[in-house]
Amino acid sequence: MQIREVFDRRRFVLLDGGMGTQLQSRGLQPGEKPELAALTMPDTLTAIHRDYAAAGADILLANTFGANAKKLAGCGYTLQQVIQASLACARTAAEETGALVGLDIGPLGELLAPAGTLAFADAYDRFAEVIRLGAEAGADLVFLETMTDLYELKAAILAAKETCTLPVFTSMSFEARGRTFTGCTVESYAVTAVGLGADAVGINCSLGPKEILPFAKRLCRSVPAGVPVFVKPNAGLPNPDGSYNLNAAEFAAEMQEYAATGISMLGGCCGTTPAFIAALRDAFAAHTPADKIPVRRSSLCTPVRFVDVQGITVVGERINPTGKKRLKQALRDGDSSYPCAQAVAQAEAGAQVLDVNAGLPGIDEAATLEHLVQELQAVTDLPLQLDSTDPAALARALRIYNGKPIVNSVNGEQKVLDAILPLCKKYGAAVVGLTLDEKGIPPTAEGRFAIAQKITAAANAAGIPNEDIYIDCLTLTASAQQEGAAQTLAALARCKRELGVRTVLGVSNISFGLPCRGYLNTTFLTMAMSAGLDLAIMNPNTPEMMAAVRAYRVLTAQDAQSADYVAAYADVQLQTTQTLKTAAPQPGSAQSGDALYDAVRRGLKAEAKGSVFLPQLLQAATAAQAAFEAIKAKIAASGQATGSKGRIVIATVKGDVHDIGKNIVRVILENYGYDVLDLGRDVAPERVVEAVQRTGAKLVGLSALMTTTVPNMQATIEALHAAGLDCKVMVGGAVLTPDYARMIGADYYCKDAKASADVAKQLLG
């Protein structure tokens, strides 16, 4: 059966259910790698697939979730053997009912840089190897599931799209707060995955049907009508013994609400069995999928920051070397600290997007822009506007950008459109089109509008919709072309009205060569906003400019209850000069307080409002750790003692390669002054025992992410007790609960990294 046939039936497509718990219930022993089941227990694995096929599953996922070269190193089989055997077991069952077989791929278990140590290119290579082998072995589709890091998902999608021609399904796991473990929003996931070419998007794992439902509705509103959306919830919420609280009938009953959401594929994840899929088949037999009603909106994003461009949006202009000697020198020196400081300052001043330009004679623009994007992504969560006319530079920057950016710019020259629009389409970027061509800038609004029409038509032909097209009608300096301002505004209004695109202007160009530039800039900005300006490229550190933006938002009801305006100006005083000035010290000023405090505060600043997410937490902790190391070195040099508060051994248990949570715990504990011995991933019980015997550690921290490896956590605890060691054990991981921790003999359950520090303080002081 071909993939298109599945969706042409006008009925709900059924996916299969849980695999790990099925293998455990049918004989998989603690410590055994589930990915090897196709080679060690092939009849059992095939029987599981058969049961799901008989229950009505249209798509069977091969048992390859954790199959990659690093995880399977030393297992006695090659990655090719594992993937071929796994797909063969699924294919045997699929042929009996005509189901399709998906190559199932889960996360690698490591955080990508800058939050972690895994390079984006290395993640891509690992995924590409698995996908190539899966395609060669006859998979019908690639199924990327249980992802929590949008950057890792991007690497996987690119690997799939560039390695094979199979359809690509993607799925992320969201926590109860509506974000993934790394803070990614539903909307950021949707626009990024679809922009990169995902053929279907969904949500799986972590939560049950009721909990996932509101996020599934948001997902349906965020993807185009032609992109299928699916869900694979867990069998409810976990019980203390590791089981789940819904049976098959209850699961199917809770899933009924999905019939009207626009979801077109349904299945199950942890705790679900063939009986759950059969119950879904019966419950949805009389239903046809409802049409999705997506919201067509212009948006830019990073994982944790989703910018819906509705009304005026501020693009910070300060990371552009034009007229900026300090930035030019920083770019020539390869010094990213200055542009990063500019990014933080603009974000704090109110910018919603940052323009990034590395075009400077005498430097390698492609390498510089790529490096600059990597560095900026470590200090700010604002979306970036990649400002370059060099296709090579754009290709490298777009590839490693995390989220959905905007490219500035193309123009009416056909060779420029042909070179850059395909890049924007491939990487899911929005695009700015300048109303100029080989003949220059037309002096009239009519001439600029004609070029805007050409750009819009070319972008549409490349697969870029109108909501991702931003037309720049070009701001000319009033000192030289005074009548140009009116032509710019007339062209802008016409593009907005007749083409249905968004608009952008570099506002401060209007005042070059004239005194008191702020007056002209602010007045022109206000006129442009009234004409329909969407993106204002400007200096957000100019108080009167930001005041005009915030006031305009209030007067046009874009700022509900004037909340942003009040937040910005509650402490502002109007000076006798009528210049707005905040009472609080400005970032980086001599009044802004202690330098160490300010550095740590800046590390925590790049966050969504009200929360600190994983990448920002790691950046802040790393910054603090570097500062503490400097302090300790200073104290040591003075001859004073700087002893550790105590020794702690931590490890991810045998069979589990996921060490993201453990790494966070290590950084936090080290920042609290403890001497931490990190044994790494896939650590056997005897290695933990040996480490405690050698170091005399009084506290051990164990981590496990998967239900199949939790028994190894219990085995490690039992080994420590059997060795008669005087130490306590704290445990943590996504599948653990306080009751389950007690059941396996742990002394402490830690729900997060801060809890581990609390335990250490309680036990070690």
Side-chain angles (χ1 to χ4, degrees), residues 554-592:
V554 170
L555 299 177
T556 54
Q558 297 174 38
D559 182 4
Q561 285 80 51
S562 306
D564 292 340
Y565 187 89
V566 172
Y569 299 121
D571 297 326
V572 165
Q573 300 173 351
L574 188 62
Q575 304 298 314
T576 56
T577 59
Q578 301 301 301
T579 300
L580 290 171
K581 181 178 181 182
T582 58
Q586 294 299 306
S589 70
Q591 304 171 356
S592 61

mmCIF file of all heavy atoms in Angstrom, residues 554-592:
data_model
loop_
_atom_site.group_PDB
_atom_site.id
_atom_site.type_symbol
_atom_site.label_atom_id
_atom_site.label_comp_id
_atom_site.label_asym_id
_atom_site.label_seq_id
_atom_site.Cartn_x
_atom_site.Cartn_y
_atom_site.Cartn_z
ATOM 1 N N VAL A 554 -1.153 50.756 22.019
ATOM 2 C CA VAL A 554 -2.273 51.052 22.917
ATOM 3 C C VAL A 554 -3.439 51.645 22.137
ATOM 4 O O VAL A 554 -4.595 51.211 22.260
ATOM 5 C CB VAL A 554 -1.837 52.022 24.032
ATOM 6 C CG1 VAL A 554 -3.054 52.520 24.813
ATOM 7 C CG2 VAL A 554 -0.845 51.350 24.975
ATOM 8 N N LEU A 555 -3.152 52.630 21.301
ATOM 9 C CA LEU A 555 -4.212 53.368 20.607
ATOM 10 C C LEU A 555 -4.883 52.557 19.505
ATOM 11 O O LEU A 555 -5.979 52.912 19.057
ATOM 12 C CB LEU A 555 -3.631 54.661 20.022
ATOM 13 C CG LEU A 555 -3.057 55.634 21.078
ATOM 14 C CD1 LEU A 555 -2.435 56.850 20.405
ATOM 15 C CD2 LEU A 555 -4.151 56.073 22.055
ATOM 16 N N THR A 556 -4.239 51.472 19.057
ATOM 17 C CA THR A 556 -4.858 50.602 18.049
ATOM 18 C C THR A 556 -5.330 49.274 18.652
ATOM 19 O O THR A 556 -5.621 48.326 17.931
ATOM 20 C CB THR A 556 -3.862 50.314 16.906
ATOM 21 O OG1 THR A 556 -2.642 49.785 17.450
ATOM 22 C CG2 THR A 556 -3.572 51.575 16.114
ATOM 23 N N ALA A 557 -5.388 49.219 19.978
ATOM 24 C CA ALA A 557 -5.893 48.052 20.714
ATOM 25 C C ALA A 557 -5.065 46.791 20.477
ATOM 26 O O ALA A 557 -5.558 45.678 20.632
ATOM 27 C CB ALA A 557 -7.356 47.785 20.381
ATOM 28 N N GLN A 558 -3.806 46.943 20.084
ATOM 29 C CA GLN A 558 -2.921 45.783 19.974
ATOM 30 C C GLN A 558 -2.367 45.384 21.340
ATOM 31 O O GLN A 558 -2.008 44.225 21.548
ATOM 32 C CB GLN A 558 -1.761 46.092 19.025
ATOM 33 C CG GLN A 558 -2.183 46.367 17.593
ATOM 34 C CD GLN A 558 -1.010 46.805 16.727
ATOM 35 O OE1 GLN A 558 0.089 46.296 16.875
ATOM 36 N NE2 GLN A 558 -1.242 47.756 15.837
ATOM 37 N N ASP A 559 -2.294 46.322 22.245
ATOM 38 C CA ASP A 559 -1.805 46.080 23.599
ATOM 39 C C ASP A 559 -3.011 45.993 24.527
ATOM 40 O O ASP A 559 -3.532 47.002 25.003
ATOM 41 C CB ASP A 559 -0.863 47.216 24.013
ATOM 42 C CG ASP A 559 -0.275 47.024 25.407
ATOM 43 O OD1 ASP A 559 -0.543 45.982 26.022
ATOM 44 O OD2 ASP A 559 0.444 47.926 25.869
ATOM 45 N N ALA A 560 -3.484 44.772 24.772
ATOM 46 C CA ALA A 560 -4.706 44.575 25.561
ATOM 47 C C ALA A 560 -4.546 45.149 26.962
ATOM 48 O O ALA A 560 -3.560 44.886 27.655
ATOM 49 C CB ALA A 560 -5.036 43.085 25.634
ATOM 50 N N GLN A 561 -5.528 45.939 27.355
ATOM 51 C CA GLN A 561 -5.530 46.602 28.661
ATOM 52 C C GLN A 561 -4.259 47.419 28.915
ATOM 53 O O GLN A 561 -3.891 47.675 30.060
ATOM 54 C CB GLN A 561 -5.712 45.583 29.805
ATOM 55 C CG GLN A 561 -7.121 45.042 29.966
ATOM 56 C CD GLN A 561 -7.422 43.954 28.966
ATOM 57 O OE1 GLN A 561 -6.663 42.998 28.824
ATOM 58 N NE2 GLN A 561 -8.542 44.084 28.275
ATOM 59 N N SER A 562 -3.587 47.801 27.841
ATOM 60 C CA SER A 562 -2.367 48.614 27.934
ATOM 61 C C SER A 562 -1.311 47.962 28.830
ATOM 62 O O SER A 562 -0.471 48.643 29.433
ATOM 63 C CB SER A 562 -2.691 50.016 28.463
ATOM 64 O OG SER A 562 -3.693 50.630 27.693
ATOM 65 N N ALA A 563 -1.326 46.637 28.894
ATOM 66 C CA ALA A 563 -0.461 45.923 29.835
ATOM 67 C C ALA A 563 1.014 46.160 29.559
ATOM 68 O O ALA A 563 1.797 46.426 30.484
ATOM 69 C CB ALA A 563 -0.777 44.436 29.790
ATOM 70 N N ASP A 564 1.426 46.035 28.292
ATOM 71 C CA ASP A 564 2.838 46.230 27.968
ATOM 72 C C ASP A 564 3.275 47.674 28.200
ATOM 73 O O ASP A 564 4.393 47.935 28.652
ATOM 74 C CB ASP A 564 3.101 45.830 26.511
ATOM 75 C CG ASP A 564 2.960 44.341 26.286
ATOM 76 O OD1 ASP A 564 3.037 43.583 27.266
ATOM 77 O OD2 ASP A 564 2.765 43.940 25.123
ATOM 78 N N TYR A 565 2.387 48.603 27.872
ATOM 79 C CA TYR A 565 2.697 50.018 28.051
ATOM 80 C C TYR A 565 2.921 50.335 29.527
ATOM 81 O O TYR A 565 3.901 50.986 29.904
ATOM 82 C CB TYR A 565 1.567 50.872 27.495
ATOM 83 C CG TYR A 565 1.855 52.356 27.485
ATOM 84 C CD1 TYR A 565 2.481 52.952 26.401
ATOM 85 C CD2 TYR A 565 1.505 53.162 28.563
ATOM 86 C CE1 TYR A 565 2.758 54.312 26.388
ATOM 87 C CE2 TYR A 565 1.777 54.522 28.574
ATOM 88 C CZ TYR A 565 2.404 55.099 27.474
ATOM 89 O OH TYR A 565 2.675 56.430 27.467
ATOM 90 N N VAL A 566 2.026 49.837 30.362
ATOM 91 C CA VAL A 566 2.142 50.084 31.803
ATOM 92 C C VAL A 566 3.407 49.429 32.355
ATOM 93 O O VAL A 566 4.135 50.024 33.158
ATOM 94 C CB VAL A 566 0.895 49.568 32.539
ATOM 95 C CG1 VAL A 566 1.092 49.638 34.053
ATOM 96 C CG2 VAL A 566 -0.331 50.376 32.128
ATOM 97 N N ALA A 567 3.684 48.205 31.900
ATOM 98 C CA ALA A 567 4.875 47.506 32.387
ATOM 99 C C ALA A 567 6.145 48.258 32.023
ATOM 100 O O ALA A 567 7.107 48.293 32.800
ATOM 101 C CB ALA A 567 4.921 46.093 31.811
ATOM 102 N N ALA A 568 6.149 48.886 30.845
ATOM 103 C CA ALA A 568 7.347 49.590 30.389
ATOM 104 C C ALA A 568 7.542 50.925 31.083
ATOM 105 O O ALA A 568 8.679 51.358 31.312
ATOM 106 C CB ALA A 568 7.285 49.797 28.872
ATOM 107 N N TYR A 569 6.438 51.598 31.408
ATOM 108 C CA TYR A 569 6.554 52.988 31.855
ATOM 109 C C TYR A 569 6.015 53.261 33.248
ATOM 110 O O TYR A 569 5.880 54.414 33.637
ATOM 111 C CB TYR A 569 5.855 53.899 30.841
ATOM 112 C CG TYR A 569 6.483 53.820 29.471
ATOM 113 C CD1 TYR A 569 5.743 53.437 28.362
ATOM 114 C CD2 TYR A 569 7.837 54.091 29.294
ATOM 115 C CE1 TYR A 569 6.322 53.341 27.107
ATOM 116 C CE2 TYR A 569 8.431 53.992 28.051
ATOM 117 C CZ TYR A 569 7.669 53.621 26.964
ATOM 118 O OH TYR A 569 8.258 53.523 25.734
ATOM 119 N N ALA A 570 5.763 52.233 34.023
ATOM 120 C CA ALA A 570 5.272 52.471 35.378
ATOM 121 C C ALA A 570 6.285 53.262 36.201
ATOM 122 O O ALA A 570 5.913 54.059 37.063
ATOM 123 C CB ALA A 570 4.963 51.136 36.060
ATOM 124 N N ASP A 571 7.568 53.044 35.932
ATOM 125 C CA ASP A 571 8.616 53.722 36.710
ATOM 126 C C ASP A 571 9.337 54.810 35.919
ATOM 127 O O ASP A 571 10.434 55.222 36.287
ATOM 128 C CB ASP A 571 9.642 52.693 37.195
ATOM 129 C CG ASP A 571 9.029 51.682 38.140
ATOM 130 O OD1 ASP A 571 8.125 52.063 38.900
ATOM 131 O OD2 ASP A 571 9.453 50.508 38.097
ATOM 132 N N VAL A 572 8.729 55.261 34.839
ATOM 133 C CA VAL A 572 9.380 56.263 34.000
ATOM 134 C C VAL A 572 8.969 57.668 34.426
ATOM 135 O O VAL A 572 7.829 57.934 34.758
ATOM 136 C CB VAL A 572 9.008 56.019 32.523
ATOM 137 C CG1 VAL A 572 9.358 57.232 31.676
ATOM 138 C CG2 VAL A 572 9.763 54.807 32.013
ATOM 139 N N GLN A 573 9.926 58.562 34.404
ATOM 140 C CA GLN A 573 9.665 59.962 34.736
ATOM 141 C C GLN A 573 9.847 60.816 33.490
ATOM 142 O O GLN A 573 10.761 60.602 32.709
ATOM 143 C CB GLN A 573 10.638 60.437 35.817
ATOM 144 C CG GLN A 573 10.531 59.642 37.109
ATOM 145 C CD GLN A 573 11.623 60.038 38.088
ATOM 146 O OE1 GLN A 573 12.531 60.773 37.751
ATOM 147 N NE2 GLN A 573 11.507 59.539 39.303
ATOM 148 N N LEU A 574 8.958 61.775 33.317
ATOM 149 C CA LEU A 574 9.081 62.695 32.195
ATOM 150 C C LEU A 574 9.945 63.875 32.637
ATOM 151 O O LEU A 574 9.571 64.657 33.493
ATOM 152 C CB LEU A 574 7.701 63.180 31.757
ATOM 153 C CG LEU A 574 7.652 64.000 30.471
ATOM 154 C CD1 LEU A 574 8.150 63.140 29.311
ATOM 155 C CD2 LEU A 574 6.231 64.467 30.188
ATOM 156 N N GLN A 575 11.145 63.927 32.080
ATOM 157 C CA GLN A 575 12.090 64.959 32.484
ATOM 158 C C GLN A 575 11.688 66.317 31.891
ATOM 159 O O GLN A 575 10.850 66.421 31.007
ATOM 160 C CB GLN A 575 13.497 64.575 32.006
ATOM 161 C CG GLN A 575 13.952 63.202 32.507
ATOM 162 C CD GLN A 575 14.042 63.125 34.014
ATOM 163 O OE1 GLN A 575 14.589 64.026 34.652
ATOM 164 N NE2 GLN A 575 13.492 62.058 34.587
ATOM 165 N N THR A 576 12.316 67.370 32.405
ATOM 166 C CA THR A 576 11.980 68.716 31.953
ATOM 167 C C THR A 576 12.296 68.923 30.487
ATOM 168 O O THR A 576 11.738 69.795 29.834
ATOM 169 C CB THR A 576 12.758 69.760 32.777
ATOM 170 O OG1 THR A 576 14.150 69.469 32.680
ATOM 171 C CG2 THR A 576 12.341 69.694 34.246
ATOM 172 N N THR A 577 13.205 68.090 29.955
ATOM 173 C CA THR A 577 13.531 68.201 28.534
ATOM 174 C C THR A 577 12.516 67.464 27.664
ATOM 175 O O THR A 577 12.636 67.456 26.439
ATOM 176 C CB THR A 577 14.905 67.593 28.261
ATOM 177 O OG1 THR A 577 14.899 66.210 28.651
ATOM 178 C CG2 THR A 577 15.985 68.322 29.041
ATOM 179 N N GLN A 578 11.499 66.861 28.310
ATOM 180 C CA GLN A 578 10.478 66.083 27.612
ATOM 181 C C GLN A 578 11.052 64.822 26.969
ATOM 182 O O GLN A 578 10.455 64.258 26.057
ATOM 183 C CB GLN A 578 9.753 66.919 26.545
ATOM 184 C CG GLN A 578 9.068 68.148 27.111
ATOM 185 C CD GLN A 578 8.039 67.777 28.168
ATOM 186 O OE1 GLN A 578 7.117 67.047 27.896
ATOM 187 N NE2 GLN A 578 8.212 68.284 29.374
ATOM 188 N N THR A 579 12.227 64.372 27.439
ATOM 189 C CA THR A 579 12.811 63.125 26.956
ATOM 190 C C THR A 579 12.481 62.023 27.937
ATOM 191 O O THR A 579 12.697 62.171 29.138
ATOM 192 C CB THR A 579 14.342 63.252 26.831
ATOM 193 O OG1 THR A 579 14.629 64.295 25.903
ATOM 194 C CG2 THR A 579 14.947 61.936 26.332
ATOM 195 N N LEU A 580 11.961 60.931 27.433
ATOM 196 C CA LEU A 580 11.621 59.821 28.305
ATOM 197 C C LEU A 580 12.886 59.141 28.801
ATOM 198 O O LEU A 580 13.781 58.835 28.023
ATOM 199 C CB LEU A 580 10.756 58.806 27.544
ATOM 200 C CG LEU A 580 9.337 59.287 27.227
ATOM 201 C CD1 LEU A 580 8.678 58.298 26.282
ATOM 202 C CD2 LEU A 580 8.519 59.437 28.489
ATOM 203 N N LYS A 581 12.935 58.921 30.088
ATOM 204 C CA LYS A 581 14.111 58.291 30.670
ATOM 205 C C LYS A 581 13.676 57.371 31.798
ATOM 206 O O LYS A 581 12.916 57.776 32.662
ATOM 207 C CB LYS A 581 15.050 59.371 31.214
ATOM 208 C CG LYS A 581 16.335 58.798 31.837
ATOM 209 C CD LYS A 581 17.218 59.934 32.303
ATOM 210 C CE LYS A 581 18.498 59.404 32.908
ATOM 211 N NZ LYS A 581 19.342 60.491 33.404
ATOM 212 N N THR A 582 14.123 56.136 31.799
ATOM 213 C CA THR A 582 13.719 55.193 32.835
ATOM 214 C C THR A 582 14.473 55.477 34.116
ATOM 215 O O THR A 582 15.640 55.860 34.112
ATOM 216 C CB THR A 582 14.016 53.747 32.408
ATOM 217 O OG1 THR A 582 15.397 53.648 32.131
ATOM 218 C CG2 THR A 582 13.218 53.332 31.192
ATOM 219 N N ALA A 583 13.787 55.274 35.228
ATOM 220 C CA ALA A 583 14.419 55.475 36.518
ATOM 221 C C ALA A 583 15.401 54.360 36.827
ATOM 222 O O ALA A 583 16.354 54.538 37.577
ATOM 223 C CB ALA A 583 13.350 55.539 37.615
ATOM 224 N N ALA A 584 15.187 53.190 36.257
ATOM 225 C CA ALA A 584 16.090 52.062 36.503
ATOM 226 C C ALA A 584 17.371 52.234 35.711
ATOM 227 O O ALA A 584 17.370 52.807 34.628
ATOM 228 C CB ALA A 584 15.407 50.748 36.102
ATOM 229 N N PRO A 585 18.501 51.753 36.235
ATOM 230 C CA PRO A 585 19.766 51.836 35.483
ATOM 231 C C PRO A 585 19.705 51.018 34.220
ATOM 232 O O PRO A 585 19.048 49.983 34.166
ATOM 233 C CB PRO A 585 20.789 51.260 36.468
ATOM 234 C CG PRO A 585 19.997 50.431 37.436
ATOM 235 C CD PRO A 585 18.669 51.121 37.543
ATOM 236 N N GLN A 586 20.387 51.486 33.191
ATOM 237 C CA GLN A 586 20.393 50.799 31.907
ATOM 238 C C GLN A 586 21.369 49.624 31.941
ATOM 239 O O GLN A 586 22.365 49.650 32.660
ATOM 240 C CB GLN A 586 20.810 51.770 30.798
ATOM 241 C CG GLN A 586 19.799 52.874 30.568
ATOM 242 C CD GLN A 586 18.453 52.305 30.147
ATOM 243 O OE1 GLN A 586 18.366 51.549 29.194
ATOM 244 N NE2 GLN A 586 17.406 52.666 30.877
ATOM 245 N N PRO A 587 21.089 48.567 31.149
ATOM 246 C CA PRO A 587 21.988 47.424 31.111
ATOM 247 C C PRO A 587 23.404 47.840 30.733
ATOM 248 O O PRO A 587 23.606 48.602 29.797
ATOM 249 C CB PRO A 587 21.377 46.534 30.011
ATOM 250 C CG PRO A 587 19.944 46.956 29.935
ATOM 251 C CD PRO A 587 19.936 48.412 30.263
ATOM 252 N N GLY A 588 24.363 47.336 31.486
ATOM 253 C CA GLY A 588 25.759 47.610 31.160
ATOM 254 C C GLY A 588 26.281 48.936 31.679
ATOM 255 O O GLY A 588 27.440 49.253 31.503
ATOM 256 N N SER A 589 25.414 49.737 32.320
ATOM 257 C CA SER A 589 25.877 51.024 32.824
ATOM 258 C C SER A 589 26.643 50.826 34.124
ATOM 259 O O SER A 589 26.575 49.791 34.777
ATOM 260 C CB SER A 589 24.673 51.952 33.079
ATOM 261 O OG SER A 589 23.923 51.487 34.192
ATOM 262 N N ALA A 590 27.356 51.865 34.535
ATOM 263 C CA ALA A 590 28.122 51.775 35.775
ATOM 264 C C ALA A 590 27.211 51.618 36.978
ATOM 265 O O ALA A 590 27.625 51.191 38.039
ATOM 266 C CB ALA A 590 29.007 53.022 35.925
ATOM 267 N N GLN A 591 25.911 52.000 36.827
ATOM 268 C CA GLN A 591 24.972 51.936 37.928
ATOM 269 C C GLN A 591 24.276 50.588 38.023
ATOM 270 O O GLN A 591 23.470 50.365 38.911
ATOM 271 C CB GLN A 591 23.889 53.012 37.755
ATOM 272 C CG GLN A 591 24.450 54.413 37.612
ATOM 273 C CD GLN A 591 23.358 55.394 37.234
ATOM 274 O OE1 GLN A 591 22.219 55.021 37.018
ATOM 275 N NE2 GLN A 591 23.704 56.655 37.172
ATOM 276 N N SER A 592 24.556 49.688 37.096
ATOM 277 C CA SER A 592 23.751 48.476 37.033
ATOM 278 C C SER A 592 24.151 47.427 38.055
ATOM 279 O O SER A 592 23.649 46.328 38.055
ATOM 280 C CB SER A 592 23.833 47.859 35.623
ATOM 281 O OG SER A 592 25.163 47.512 35.315
#
